[in-house]
């Protein structure tokens, strides 16, 4: 693991929200290529805030974040380059409701990467096949189930051929019977060697897929360990409390 | 397995025939369910009947429609020079042809994903109403026979083109079809040239436009130009650049804080002082610009409400896919915001159309202004009711057309309306 290059490197990240709330209090994290890191922690501990800094959806005041060798700064060109290379999957899917599934996938590659539409459509259909919903390509998001929508959202991120995928509680808004189909897709991505940072409370996924589990509390990382160690022998008092709550 | 012990699942069965009420039963239930309901219903029915009979009696016995019949040209185009009126006929003919072709093409190319939303009966009703009005109105208005024939020919052209393009529109290749909506702006620009002159056509100064022509021209000009203004100002009001935001707020609040009539008078006077001699637009165009900026401010508020109704997640998703802010606005946020703002926007357009009557107060001969000159004519003294009723019906027709069009557009743009 140590030999592969770093895809994400966060050093001493501090963030205050405009209302003065200190949301991130000196967070360090490194993610290597092909690694899957799961972030857990109680509600309001800053998990979303943290992973949203990786693609500049949130800014931060102190510290540094380097994504695949590019430093996140206020230089807009850097931000656009980083956003093209990092996909993000949201809790609420955030599909574009006025576009069909296929158009959701092809919009960014055609508009941003200036690729030919026919070529992107072929790729998009392949991706929909991969996440198991090729037959829904002509429908609108509102006509799909939650699990299908989230799989479309994943395919939409993949269509930009990102090198990092960020997931912010991708299964939290789903009915229990649909969680499995989304986790299945994420498992397959991890097996293909995608670098992933996943905020989730799915223990099974963390145990089987994650290379590392990180626990956040009050804007800090309190524990960072391999999943087996984390779940069987947590070192920190906060981790034990947290695990007691979700188990 | 426990399946053998659990009861078998029920097979589906057809829905029961719905308990159909006879119209008598329905009537009784809707109008006379309780004694109080009955009393209210009877009273209302009596009032409606009395009003209907009274109106019928007035309209067909007492009213003298000669005031309208003698002034149709004045109401339609004001004092537009007689020798140049062929240009307007040409424009109406072209408009009829474009309407017919668009209508037919729209029907022969239903959107594949929205197939269930068309009701053929609507089309039949529309055709019947159109044919009836076109056949009856020229006669009722006692137009000279050649003019009657012209109206019938134009209507026939419209209906024939609708039929032809509805039947064989499928043959038009899709690639070409994409450019067909451009026919409308092209027609509008060409119509402007026809009306005003230029490009080799003799000029007719705006002071000679009038009647329905002037009203529709002012309203359409203001509608078309206020739309982009509204979008830009709404975006400006939500911008992060303070100067842009403040100027947008200033513009909106200034316009919304003053009655339109004062702005119209202000426009007539101030533009003359502000712009050097000869640069200030003609009186009619001054009024048109005031109407445009007036409508723009209200539209900006409608669009802003639409923008606020689009969840922030949409912009975040677009940005995290690498779209720039303008790209995200164009492809993701604005299409949704404008669809949400559509009803309010059309409401604004409808009130703008009605506000054009204020032009008569600054001395322009729009529909109301023309009507007032007609009523001032000693020959037609005391015929105010006939004139005002005609005006009301004309405005009502224009507003109804706007409303129907907007509802059709709303249905066409609504992804959740799809029947699949
Ligand atoms: N725009 C904002 N302004 C001020 N405070 C905010 C803002 N957004 C979030 N916060 C605060 O920052 C803290 C961290 O929020 P964040 O959404 O990152 O938590 P989270 O760990 O993702 O929680 P959850 O599990 O509920 O999603 C919370 O206490 C929240 O109240
Ligand atoms: Mg969160």
């Amino acid at each position: 693991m140590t030999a592969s290059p770093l895809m994400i490197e966060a050093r001493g990240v501090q963030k205050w929200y405009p209302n003065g709330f200190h949301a991130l209090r000196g967070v360090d994290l490194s993610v290597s290529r092909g690694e899957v890191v799961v972030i857990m922690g109680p509600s309001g501990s800053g998990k979303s805030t943290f992973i949203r800094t990786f693609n500049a959806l949130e800014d931060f005041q102190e510290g540094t974040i380097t994504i695949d060798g590019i430093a996140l700064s206020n230089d807009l060109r850097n931000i656009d380059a980083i956003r093209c290379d990092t996909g993000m999957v949201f809790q609420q899917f955030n599909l574009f409701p006025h576009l069909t599934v296929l158009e959701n996938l092809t919009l960014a590659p055609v508009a941003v990467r200036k690729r030919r539409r026919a070529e992107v459509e072929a790729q998009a259909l392949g991706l929909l096949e991969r996440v198991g919903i090729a037959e829904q390509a002509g429908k609108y998001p509102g006509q799909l189930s939650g699990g299908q929508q989230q799989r479309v959202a994943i395919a939409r991120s993949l269509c930009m051929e990102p090198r990092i995928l960020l997931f912010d509680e991708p299964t939290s808004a789903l009915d229990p019977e649909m969680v499995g189909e989304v986790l299945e897709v994420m498992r397959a991505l991890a097996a293909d060697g995608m670098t992933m940072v996943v905020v989730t409370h799915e223990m099974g996924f963390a145990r089987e897929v994650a290379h590392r589990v990180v626990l956040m509390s009050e804007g800090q990382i309190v524990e960072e360990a391999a999943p087996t160690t984390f779940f069987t022998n947590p070192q920190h008092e906060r981790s034990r409390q947290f695990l007691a709550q979700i188990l | 397995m426990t399946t053998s012990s659990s009861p078998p699942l029920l097979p589906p069965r057809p829905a029961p025939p719905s308990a159909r009420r006879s119209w008598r039963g329905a009537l009784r239930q809707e109008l006379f369910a309780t004694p109080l309901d009955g009393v209210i219903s009877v009273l209302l029915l009596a009032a409606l009947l009395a009003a209907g009979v009274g109106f019928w009696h007035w309209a067909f016995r007492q009213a003298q429609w000669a005031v309208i019949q003698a002034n149709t040209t004045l109401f339609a185009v004001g004092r537009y020079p007689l020798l140049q009126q062929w240009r307007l006929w040409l424009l109406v003919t072209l408009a009829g042809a474009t309407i017919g072709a668009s209508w037919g093409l729209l029907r022969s190319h239903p959107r594949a994903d929205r197939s269930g939303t068309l009701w053929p009966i609507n089309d039949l009703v529309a055709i019947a109403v159109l044919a009836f009005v076109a056949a009856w109105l020229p006669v009722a208005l006692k137009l000279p026979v050649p003019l009657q024939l012209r109206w019938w020919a134009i209507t026939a052209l419209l209906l024939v083109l609708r039929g032809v393009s509805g039947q064989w529109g499928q043959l038009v290749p899709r690639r070409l079809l994409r450019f067909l909506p451009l026919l409308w702006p092209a027609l509008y620009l060409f119509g402007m040239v026809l009306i005003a002159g230029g490009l080799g056509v003799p000029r007719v100064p705006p002071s000679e436009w009038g009647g329905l022509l002037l009203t529709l021209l002012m309203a359409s000009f203001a509608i078309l130009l206020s739309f982009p203004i509204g979008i830009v100002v709404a975006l400006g009001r939500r911008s992060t650049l303070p100067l842009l935001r403040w100027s947008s707020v200033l513009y909106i609040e200034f316009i919304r804080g003053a009655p339109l009539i004062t702005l119209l008078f202000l426009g007539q006077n101030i533009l003359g002082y502000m712009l050097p001699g000869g640069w200030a637009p003609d009186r009619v165009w001054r009024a048109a610009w005031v109407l445009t900026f007036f409508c723009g401010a209200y539209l900006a508020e409608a669009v802003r409400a639409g923008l606020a109704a689009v969840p922030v997640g949409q912009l975040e998703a677009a940005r995290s896919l690498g779209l720039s802010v303008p790209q995200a606005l164009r492809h993701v946020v604005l299409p949704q915001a404008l669809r949400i703002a559509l009803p309010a926007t059309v409401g604004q357009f409808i009130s703008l159309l009605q506000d054009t009557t204020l032009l008569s107060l600054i001395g322009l001969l729009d529909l109301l202004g023309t009507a007032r000159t007609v009523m001032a004519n000693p020959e037609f003294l005391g015929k105010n009711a006939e004139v005002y009723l005609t005006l009301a019906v004309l405005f009502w027709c224009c507003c109804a057309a706007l409303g129907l069009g907007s509802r059709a557009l709303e249905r066409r743009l609504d992804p959740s309306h799809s029947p699949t």
Side-chain angles (χ1 to χ4, degrees):
Chain A
M1 211 79 287
T2 44
S4 24
L6 285 184
M7 293 298 281
I8 301 177
E9 190 176 23
R11 288 279 158 266
V13 177
Q14 307 265 358
K15 171 169 177 87
W16 288 264
Y17 275 109
N19 65 357
F21 182 78
H22 197 175
L24 297 178
R25 308 176 192 173
V27 190
D28 299 304
L29 184 73
S30 307
V31 182
S32 320
R33 170 167 298 160
E35 207 181 5
V36 178
V37 174
V38 162
I39 302 182
M40 293 187 159
S43 179
S45 55
K47 310 179 295 290
S48 299
T49 309
F50 187 42
I51 77 165
R52 284 159 59 91
T53 55
F54 296 164
N55 66 350
L57 284 181
E58 301 283 357
D59 59 355
F60 54 94
Q61 281 73 38
E62 289 173 18
T64 57
I65 296 181
T66 311
I67 305 289
D68 200 10
I70 309 175
L72 258 182
S73 61
N74 289 330
D75 186 344
L76 290 177
R77 263 171 319 168
N78 276 359
I79 291 182
D80 282 345
I82 286 169
R83 280 186 177 144
C84 288
D85 280 348
T86 52
M88 180 139 194
V89 177
F90 300 85
Q91 180 175 357
Q92 300 298 340
F93 326 138
N94 291 349
L95 293 179
F96 307 134
H98 61 299
L99 301 178
T100 63
V101 166
L102 191 62
E103 289 164 346
N104 263 278
L105 265 67
T106 55
L107 173 62
V110 172
V112 179
R113 295 223 199 267
K114 311 288 178 216
R115 291 169 51 194
R116 298 224 344 267
R117 177 174 297 278
E119 171 199 318
V120 179
E121 274 179 5
Q123 182 201 4
L125 287 172
L127 283 171
L128 287 175
E129 188 92 46
R130 195 162 142 201
V131 300
I133 36 177
E135 71 282 5
Q136 317 282 10
K139 288 197 182 171
Y140 286 88
Q143 299 167 324
L144 303 184
S145 75
Q148 290 172 328
Q149 290 193 44
Q150 194 59 296
R151 285 185 281 158
V152 171
I154 294 174
R156 179 175 71 177
S157 297
L158 290 176
C159 214
M160 284 295 277
E161 296 168 344
R163 286 189 253 174
I164 302 169
L165 268 187
L166 309 172
F167 294 83
D168 192 0
E169 309 209 28
T171 57
S172 301
L174 296 177
D175 290 340
E177 73 268 23
M178 296 172 185
V179 170
E181 62 193 46
V182 172
L183 291 181
E184 198 49 51
V185 170
M186 291 167 61
R187 240 180 222 125
L189 283 174
D192 283 354
M194 176 65 79
T195 311
M196 292 162 52
V197 180
V198 186
V199 176
T200 185
H201 292 160
E202 291 293 332
M203 301 275 286
F205 180 83
R207 222 189 279 268
E208 290 161 37
V209 183
H211 300 113
R212 241 180 323 144
V213 177
V214 170
L215 187 99
M216 284 187 75
S217 179
E218 295 182 21
Q220 296 146 66
I221 289 183
V222 292
E223 182 147 1
E224 197 176 338
T228 35
T229 331
F230 181 81
F231 288 116
T232 52
N233 186 20
Q235 298 301 305
H236 200 283
E237 179 57 28
R238 289 287 173 107
S239 312
R240 263 169 287 191
Q241 281 172 8
F242 177 73
L243 286 174
Q245 269 169 16
I246 66 168
L247 279 178
Chain B
M1 293 294 281
T2 53
T3 38
S4 52
S5 63
S6 60
L9 295 175
L10 293 176
R13 67 184 176 92
S18 58
R20 300 191 65 170
R21 296 181 301 181
S22 65
W23 65 270
R24 242 175 236 272
L27 208 63
R28 187 168 325 125
Q29 196 161 351
E30 297 293 335
L31 300 182
F32 302 101
T34 68
L36 182 62
D37 280 13
V39 171
I40 294 176
S41 298
V42 167
L43 284 180
L44 278 178
L45 282 176
L48 282 177
L49 204 67
V53 168
F55 178 74
W56 185 267
H57 187 73
W58 176 79
F60 290 94
R61 294 282 147 71
Q62 294 174 330
Q64 286 165 2
W65 295 104
V67 57
I68 307 295
Q69 289 159 344
N71 293 301
T72 42
T73 315
L74 208 55
F75 279 116
V77 298
R79 299 193 202 294
Y80 203 88
L82 197 60
L83 279 178
Q84 302 295 334
Q85 282 181 10
W86 61 269
R87 288 149 54 165
L88 304 182
W89 283 105
L90 177 60
L91 180 57
V92 173
T93 312
L94 286 176
T98 316
I99 291 173
S102 311
W103 186 3
L105 285 173
L106 221 57
R107 289 301 176 257
S108 60
H109 291 268
R111 289 188 58 160
D113 47 329
R114 318 266 162 86
S115 50
T117 50
L118 294 178
W119 299 319
I121 189 81
N122 278 8
D123 266 20
L124 290 183
V125 170
I127 291 173
V129 169
L130 186 69
F132 172 74
V133 170
W136 167 76
L137 202 57
V139 181
L141 288 175
K142 297 218 173 104
L143 291 184
V145 175
L147 293 196
Q148 283 187 16
L149 289 178
R150 268 187 225 175
W151 279 116
W152 290 338
I154 290 171
T155 314
L157 175 70
L158 192 161
L159 290 178
V160 165
L161 272 176
R162 189 245 171 268
V164 167
S165 58
Q167 197 72 35
W168 291 289
Q170 291 278 324
L171 301 180
V172 182
R174 285 253 163 203
R175 251 175 331 115
L176 213 67
L177 207 64
R178 286 231 313 272
F179 296 102
L180 273 175
L182 292 181
L183 221 60
W184 283 96
L187 177 71
Y188 191 80
L189 290 179
F190 185 60
M192 280 292 204
V193 173
L194 278 180
I195 292 169
L199 303 181
V201 190
R203 288 199 174 279
V204 176
S207 52
E208 298 183 6
W209 310 345
L212 187 60
L213 172 72
L214 183 64
T215 294
L216 290 182
L217 209 61
M218 293 282 108
S220 59
F221 180 83
I223 284 175
L224 287 177
L225 284 178
S226 63
F227 194 57
I229 293 179
I231 292 176
V232 169
V233 174
L235 289 174
R237 186 157 187 179
R238 289 169 62 93
S239 151
T240 47
L241 303 176
L243 205 58
L244 190 58
R245 201 168 55 236
W246 293 336
S247 22
S248 304
V249 172
L250 195 69
Y251 163 65
I252 294 175
E253 296 307 331
F254 170 72
I255 297 274
R256 294 208 312 165
L260 176 55
I261 186 69
T262 51
L263 292 175
L264 281 170
F265 277 119
L266 195 65
Q268 292 299 322
N269 295 310
I270 220 172
L271 283 179
Y273 297 127
M274 282 198 329
L275 300 170
W279 275 73
D282 167 272
R283 276 157 44 80
V284 172
W285 287 118
R286 283 184 217 175
W289 282 109
V290 172
L291 278 180
T292 305
F293 282 107
F294 179 79
C295 190
Y298 284 86
L299 276 193
E301 287 299 276
V303 173
R304 187 167 74 105
L307 286 172
V310 177
V312 276
Q314 293 289 310
L315 185 62
E316 285 180 354
R319 299 286 280 139
S320 68
L321 282 168
L323 272 72
S324 63
V325 172
Q327 282 173 332
L329 283 177
R330 170 159 164 244
H331 295 290
V332 175
V333 178
L334 275 179
Q336 298 180 58
L338 292 183
R339 205 194 73 72
I340 297 170
L342 185 64
T345 305
V346 174
Q348 197 52 54
F349 290 161
I350 287 178
S351 58
L352 175 78
L353 186 65
Q354 297 170 352
D355 286 344
T356 55
T357 47
L358 290 176
L359 295 179
S360 67
L361 294 187
I362 56 169
L364 300 189
L365 290 177
D366 73 317
L367 257 184
L368 186 61
T370 311
R372 280 154 46 117
T373 60
V374 168
M375 289 182 294
N377 184 341
E379 199 182 331
F380 302 113
L381 225 48
K383 295 289 172 286
N384 295 8
E386 287 85 344
V387 172
Y388 282 129
L389 184 69
T390 309
L391 246 55
V393 169
L394 273 177
F395 273 106
W396 185 84
C397 287
C398 295
C399 294
L402 272 177
L404 281 177
S406 99
R407 232 160 312 147
L409 190 62
E410 219 174 314
R411 270 205 305 276
R412 215 175 157 80
L413 294 180
D414 183 1
S416 63
H417 195 78
S418 160
T420 36

